[in-house]
Each structure stands twice: as structure tokens, then as C-alpha cells.
């Protein structure tokens, strides 16, 4: 299965009539494996900062998580595994796998819990596959 299929069929899928706004699978080196059409153009240092927070949890909390020059306030996550951010009525979930980062960006009416479920379920599956 291609990486784009994972984005299209698993991340951008419908959950109770709602969809993520944007999603992507990005290698830990910052290379984009697949993304939705609406995923923001990001700077390499933004991915580096996210990877650093997975390695040293808490580094993003004081400055915020930036993606595509959008700042998200970092909220509870799972140190070393999941980073969650909030901005207005929307937010972001980032799940780390062995080789990649799974990004999900949402806006109302999708809820944070629905975004977390979609992103983390795919991330857990990829980890189980050794990816």
C-alpha cells in the first residue's frame, strides 16, 4: 500500500461525519512521505523542533509547536510518543512511530478526541508493522 493511501483512506477518513482538515506522514528526517492537499508547507526546523520534543519532552511547551508558521499551544500528550496542540477551535496531533511522524490537523466540528483517535490508531498500527 502506498503512503498516500494511508493518508487518503486512514487519516482523511470520515469519523461521525467529520474529517481532519489536513494530514501527513513525514519521515523523521523531515521528508514528506505523503500528505493531504491542504497540509501546510512547513519549515525543516519546525520538524526538527518536534523531533527534539519527542527526544526531550517538554521543550516545545514554553515556545509552542509551530507548523507552517502556525503556532499551537502544546497541551497534554504522551512524552516521547504523542504531542498535542491547540489553536482556537482546532488543533494538531503528532504521533511518533519508529521511522515517521503522523500529523493530523483539525477544526470544529471535529473534536480533539476524534483527531487523536485517527492519528494515534494509524501510528500504533505502523509501529506494530515495524515502521
Amino acid at each position: 500500500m502506498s503512503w498516500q493511501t494511508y493518508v487518503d483512506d486512514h487519516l482523511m477518513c470520515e469519523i461521525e461525519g467529520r474529517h481532519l482538515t489536513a494530514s501527513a506522514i513525514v519521515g523523521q528526517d523531515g521528508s514528506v512521505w505523503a500528505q493531504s492537499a491542504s497540509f501546510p508547507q512547513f519549515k525543516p526546523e519546525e520538524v526538527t523542533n518536534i523531533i527534539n520534543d519527542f527526544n526531550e519532552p517538554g521543550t516545545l511547551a514554553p515556545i509552542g509547536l509551530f507548523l507552517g508558521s502556525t503556532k499551537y499551544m502544546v497541551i497534554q500528550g504522551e512524552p516521547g510518543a504523542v504531542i498535542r496542540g491547540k489553536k482556537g477551535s482546532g488543533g494538531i496531533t503528532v504521533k511518533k512511530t519508529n521511522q515517521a511522524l503522523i500529523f493530523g490537523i483539525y477544526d470544529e466540528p471535529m473534536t480533539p478526541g476524534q483527531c487523536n483517535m485517527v492519528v494515534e490508531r494509524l501510528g500504533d498500527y505502523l509501529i506494530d508493522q515495524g515502521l
Side-chain angles (χ1 to χ4, degrees):
M1 186 182 310
S2 79
W3 291 112
Q4 193 62 50
T5 304
Y6 282 110
V7 169
D8 296 341
D9 295 350
H10 297 281
L11 292 174
M12 299 305 288
C13 64
E14 184 176 309
I15 302 283
E16 297 172 19
R18 301 173 179 132
H19 300 271
L20 290 173
T21 306
S23 64
I25 302 172
V26 177
Q28 290 187 18
D29 61 357
S31 62
V32 176
W33 294 5
Q35 65 183 25
S36 64
S38 53
F39 194 75
Q41 183 68 42
F42 60 86
K43 300 180 182 97
E45 61 267 19
E46 292 173 334
V47 172
T48 301
N49 290 339
I50 291 167
I51 292 284
N52 290 343
D53 192 81
F54 279 118
N55 296 332
E56 286 183 53
T59 57
L60 284 180
I63 58 170
L65 183 161
F66 286 85
L67 188 71
S69 300
T70 298
K71 180 180 180 179
Y72 297 89
M73 179 178 67
V74 177
I75 56 175
Q76 97 290 349
E78 297 168 29
V82 179
I83 300 171
R84 298 183 184 110
K86 186 90 175 117
K87 180 180 188 324
S89 62
I92 188 169
T93 301
V94 186
K95 170 78 175 180
K96 181 180 183 236
T97 71
N98 300 333
Q99 299 175 20
L101 302 175
I102 314 296
F103 288 87
I105 300 172
Y106 70 94
D107 270 309
E108 285 185 337
M110 185 171 239
T111 66
Q114 290 169 323
C115 177
N116 296 342
M117 184 183 71
V118 169
V119 172
E120 294 173 36
R121 187 174 55 193
L122 178 59
D124 291 340
Y125 170 78
L126 293 177
I127 289 168
D128 289 346
Q129 301 302 306
L131 301 168

